[in-house]
Amino acid sequence: IPKNVSESLPHVVRINNSIDRYNSRAKAFKRRIEALFKWRFRYKTKFYAQDHLLYSANLIGKCPYVLLEDAPNIYTLYKNIEFMRPIFPRNFLYRWKDYALFGSIGMSILGHNSQCIAVMVTQENDLKSDILKGKDIIKVDMAELWNESTKSKKEFIKKTFGISNSIFSISKNCSVIIFTQPLMDDCKLTEEEMLDIYKPSINRYINRGIVVKPHPRDKFDYSRHFPMVNVLETKAPMQLLGAMGFHFEIGITVCSSAITAMPENSEIIWLGANIHPKVYSVYGDLKCPR
C-alpha cells in the first residue's frame, strides 16, 4: 500500500516487509514473538486480510479472519502463479520449522485453513473454484457498493486514493488504457526489456490517445520513456475506478487481472506472460479472463 494512501487513513501501523520465507527465518521468528506481545489487541479484532503475504500469518496468529482477494479471478488462477501456491516443505523437519515460524496460515494460504471463516469474491468465475469449496462466500459488487455509498464516504475514498475529478476527463480524450505490472520487481526485467514489451503497443495506438495505469509496485518510468502518453498518478485499483465510471474502448496488458474492470463491449488485447521468458517463469501460462 503506497505511503500516501496509508497516511490518509486514521489508524495505521506500517510494518517493514523484510521477511524472506527461506533466507530470513530469524526475522520471521522475531516477528511472530513480537506480534504475540506487541499487538495483543488482535484477539479482540475482526480481521479482513490477505493471507499469502509473508508477514500475514505472524500478524493474524490463531485469530479467525475474512479473506480479501489479492486480485480478480485469483481463486481460479492461483495454480498458475508460483508465489500464490500453498507451500509444501521438502520433508517433515522443514515442515515443522515453517509451522513454528509462520503458523498454519503460512502453510495453507488463500483461505485453505480452518481460521478462514469467509472469503470475499468479486468475480463469478471464482465461485466455482476448488479452493473455495465449503467456505462461506461474501459476494461483492464494486459498482453497486459505490452507488449505494453516501456522499461523505465517496469523498473519503477519493481523498484516500488521490482521485481527482479531472482524471475522468482523460477517458473522454483517450480510448486506450494500458494496465502494467511490477515486472521489474517480480520478474527482474531490465528497462530495455520493459521497453521491448510496451513500445509496440504504444506506437500502434498512440494516435487514439493512451492512458497508462501503473501497478502500485511498478518502478518503470513511463513518463520518461513515453512522454506522449498520459500516466495516472492515482494508486486506486482499476476495479474501484471502473465502478466509478472510468472506462475505455481498448484495454492492453501483459496479464493483469485489472482488465476485468473493463466494460463488456470493450476490446481486450492480452499480450500474455509468454511475451518474455522471465515473465512466464513467474506468472505461468495465465489466460485472458474474458
Side-chain angles (χ1 to χ4, degrees):
I1 299 177
K3 193 172 183 179
N4 64 330
V5 173
S6 64
E7 286 179 342
S8 299
L9 301 173
H11 304 289
V12 172
V13 176
R14 291 189 66 89
I15 299 171
N16 180 30
N17 181 22
S18 59
I19 297 177
D20 180 271
R21 192 179 300 274
Y22 295 107
N23 298 326
S24 301
R25 294 176 180 275
K27 289 183 179 179
F29 185 71
K30 180 181 177 182
R31 174 67 52 76
R32 190 172 190 190
I33 297 300
E34 182 182 39
L36 285 173
F37 298 97
K38 189 174 182 179
W39 296 300
R40 295 192 63 81
F41 61 83
R42 297 179 306 160
Y43 303 107
K44 296 181 180 180
T45 298
K46 186 171 184 178
F47 274 93
Y48 294 85
Q50 293 179 351
D51 60 10
H52 70 285
L53 306 171
L54 292 180
Y55 48 79
S56 295
N58 288 335
L59 291 178
I60 298 172
K62 295 293 184 181
C63 301
Y65 66 100
V66 176
L67 180 65
L68 301 175
E69 66 181 22
D70 178 64
N73 294 309
I74 191 62
Y75 305 114
T76 301
L77 302 174
Y78 77 96
K79 292 180 181 179
N80 296 325
I81 305 175
E82 181 182 3
F83 57 84
M84 294 300 296
R85 300 186 198 121
I87 298 168
F88 299 102
R90 286 166 286 180
N91 55 44
F92 177 79
L93 179 61
Y94 276 92
R95 181 180 291 272
W96 182 86
K97 285 184 176 180
D98 273 357
Y99 180 82
L101 295 175
F102 300 102
S104 59
I105 294 177
M107 309 286 288
S108 306
I109 61 174
L110 289 183
H112 209 54
N113 58 76
S114 60
Q115 289 175 236
C116 177
I117 58 175
V119 180
M120 280 192 175
V121 179
T122 63
Q123 303 296 309
E124 291 289 338
N125 294 341
D126 276 344
L127 296 176
K128 302 176 183 177
S129 171
D130 61 321
I131 206 167
L132 297 184
K133 287 182 179 178
K135 292 292 182 184
D136 289 336
I137 305 296
I138 303 173
K139 183 71 172 64
V140 175
D141 186 315
M142 295 284 281
E144 183 179 312
L145 289 177
W146 175 257
N147 292 332
E148 292 176 351
S149 295
T150 62
K151 182 178 179 181
S152 60
K153 184 175 183 179
K154 288 180 179 180
E155 291 303 317
F156 174 73
I157 292 173
K158 286 182 179 180
K159 181 181 178 181
T160 299
F161 287 103
I163 303 173
S164 62
N165 293 327
S166 61
I167 73 168
F168 292 94
S169 62
I170 295 177
S171 60
K172 297 178 182 178
N173 302 317
C174 300
S175 59
V176 180
I177 185 168
I178 297 177
F179 302 111
T180 80
Q181 292 159 270
L183 302 180
M184 296 180 72
D185 192 9
D186 289 356
C187 309
K188 311 306 178 187
L189 261 62
T190 64
E191 287 198 359
E192 291 74 20
E193 290 168 335
M194 292 287 286
L195 280 170
D196 290 341
I197 286 177
Y198 290 108
K199 192 173 183 179
S201 296
I202 289 176
N203 288 341
R204 180 181 179 185
Y205 291 100
I206 192 61
N207 292 331
R208 300 191 61 173
I210 297 176
V211 173
V212 174
K213 173 74 172 65
H215 187 281
R217 292 191 292 111
D218 192 350
K219 299 175 181 177
F220 189 69
D221 191 343
Y222 295 91
S223 296
R224 180 167 68 89
H225 291 288
F226 304 111
M228 71 293 286
V229 305
N230 300 279
V231 181
L232 293 182
E233 294 184 2
T234 177
K235 302 300 183 182
M238 189 59 194
Q239 288 74 22
L240 174 59
L241 294 176
M244 298 166 63
F246 193 62
H247 298 311
F248 294 83
E249 295 177 12
I250 300 173
I252 303 173
T253 187
V254 173
C255 54
S256 172
S257 60
I259 64 162
T260 58
M262 296 285 288
E264 288 298 323
N265 60 351
S266 61
E267 179 184 354
I268 301 300
I269 298 176
W270 184 264
L271 302 177
N274 57 4
I275 197 169
H276 194 283
K278 291 181 182 178
V279 179
Y280 188 88
S281 67
V282 174
Y283 293 142
D285 188 20
L286 296 178
K287 303 299 182 183
C288 181
R290 246 178 50 199

